[in-house]
Structures are given as C-alpha cells and as structure tokens.
C-alpha cells in the first residue's frame, strides 16, 4: 500500500524526463511538458491525504493499555513509548510528514504566488491547469485550503 504512490510518482518523473528531453512541437508520441506537470499536480492532489494519513497513523497513533502508564503505537502494539525504537519511529514519521505536507503546501503556495505574474505565459498556465480548472482561475488559493483541510483531517 505504501509503495503505490511512490510507483506512480516515479512513473510520472520518468514521463516528465522524457517529455523534457524529447518533446517536439506537434509531436503526438511524447506529451508536452506542461501536460506532464499538470498531471503531476493531479497526482500530488490524489496522494496527499493517503500519504499524510499513513505517516501520521504510523508515527503518532497510540494504543492505550490497561495500565495507564503504558502506551504503544497503534500500528506496532509490541513497541511501547518507553522503548528506544519508539523515538526513532516518531522522528522518522515527523520528518516524513513534515517533508511531504509542508513541502507540498509550500510548493502550491509558490505556484499560486507566481500565477498573477505569469498570467500571459501559456506554458505556465497549461502546467497549472489542474489548479485553475477545478476552482476559479482568479481564486486558485482554494486548492491550498483543500490541502490544508486534508492535512488537518489526517492529523485528527
């Protein structure tokens, strides 16, 4: 389950590299770079919540035991909070969630900030079509709000 998004993102990266290297005007065999970038934003949107949810449930989900002083991970009930492995799992999960969630939201905010300056750049508009298609082109910030909502849903 955890490998599926990585497979899709790796396939997307391969297609992007091919389109960046071999795309020619009017070619039907190689997709345009803008279309591949737009597809990457769609993949980010599709996998944002599942990856954030898995990262948070693995590292931050807790299971209570009959003894109120004992707690363990919900995914790994045999590892208690007091075990040395617990701190490693917590740090890895926190770094993974921070990289994925903060990086994704920061990237989208960067794109949205650049949108007014590049309104007449058709290749840029084609690349961010996934953001402007669902929401009004003058209000693409709703995309970031949706990512924040998904992040908060995964956190709870």
């Amino acid at each position: 389950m955890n490998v599926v998004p990585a497979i899709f993102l790796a396939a997307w990266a391969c297609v992007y590299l091919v389109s960046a290297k071999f795309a020619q005007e009017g070619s039907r065999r190689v997709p345009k770079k803008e279309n591949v970038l737009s597809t990457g934003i769609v993949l980010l949107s599709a996998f944002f919540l599942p990856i954030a949810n898995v990262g948070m449930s693995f590292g931050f989900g807790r299971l209570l035991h009959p003894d109120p002083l004992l707690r363990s991970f919900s995914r790994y009930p045999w590892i208690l909070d007091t075990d040395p492995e617990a701190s490693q799992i917590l740090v890895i999960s926190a770094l993974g969630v921070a990289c994925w969630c903060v990086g994704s939201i920061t990237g989208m905010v960067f794109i949205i900030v650049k949108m007014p300056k590049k309104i007449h750049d058709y290749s840029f508009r084609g690349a961010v079509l996934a953001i402007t298609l669902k929401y009004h082109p003058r209000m693409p910030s709703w995309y970031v709000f949706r990512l924040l909502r998904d992040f908060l849903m995964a956190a709870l």
Side-chain angles (χ1 to χ4, degrees):
M1 165 88 181
N2 298 337
V3 180
V4 173
I7 292 171
F8 278 105
L9 292 173
W12 172 82
C14 291
V15 172
Y16 176 75
L17 290 174
V18 167
S19 71
K21 183 80 173 163
F22 301 111
Q24 297 174 354
E25 192 65 35
S27 173
R28 291 183 162 192
R29 294 178 187 233
V30 179
K32 291 182 180 179
K33 192 167 117 176
E34 298 84 21
N35 295 343
V36 176
L37 287 172
S38 183
T39 304
I41 293 174
V42 170
L43 282 174
L44 174 82
S45 176
F47 290 128
F48 182 81
L49 181 60
I51 290 175
N53 190 19
V54 166
M56 288 188 190
S57 67
F58 269 51
F60 303 112
R62 295 291 189 261
L63 181 67
L64 297 176
H65 292 274
D67 184 1
L69 299 176
L70 293 178
R71 291 186 340 163
S72 63
F73 291 102
S74 60
R75 293 283 185 153
Y76 309 107
W78 59 90
I79 300 177
L80 297 174
D81 280 349
T82 56
D83 292 343
E85 296 90 6
S87 62
Q88 294 173 353
I89 291 173
L90 186 63
V91 167
I92 290 171
S93 293
L95 288 175
V97 167
C99 287
W100 176 254
C101 295
V102 173
S104 299
I105 292 171
T106 303
M108 289 302 118
V109 168
F110 177 76
I111 288 172
I112 289 172
V113 167
K114 289 287 184 182
M115 281 180 114
K117 297 174 188 170
K118 295 190 171 226
I119 195 73
H120 299 295
D121 185 1
Y122 290 111
S123 63
F124 180 81
R125 286 176 55 191
V128 297
L129 186 65
I131 297 173
T132 59
L133 192 61
K134 187 171 184 177
Y135 304 106
H136 195 275
R138 296 186 191 268
M139 293 182 277
S141 57
W142 284 108
Y143 189 83
V144 173
F145 291 136
R146 203 191 98 225
L147 288 179
L148 287 171
R149 181 203 64 192
D150 290 348
F151 172 72
L152 292 175
M153 284 175 41
L156 296 177

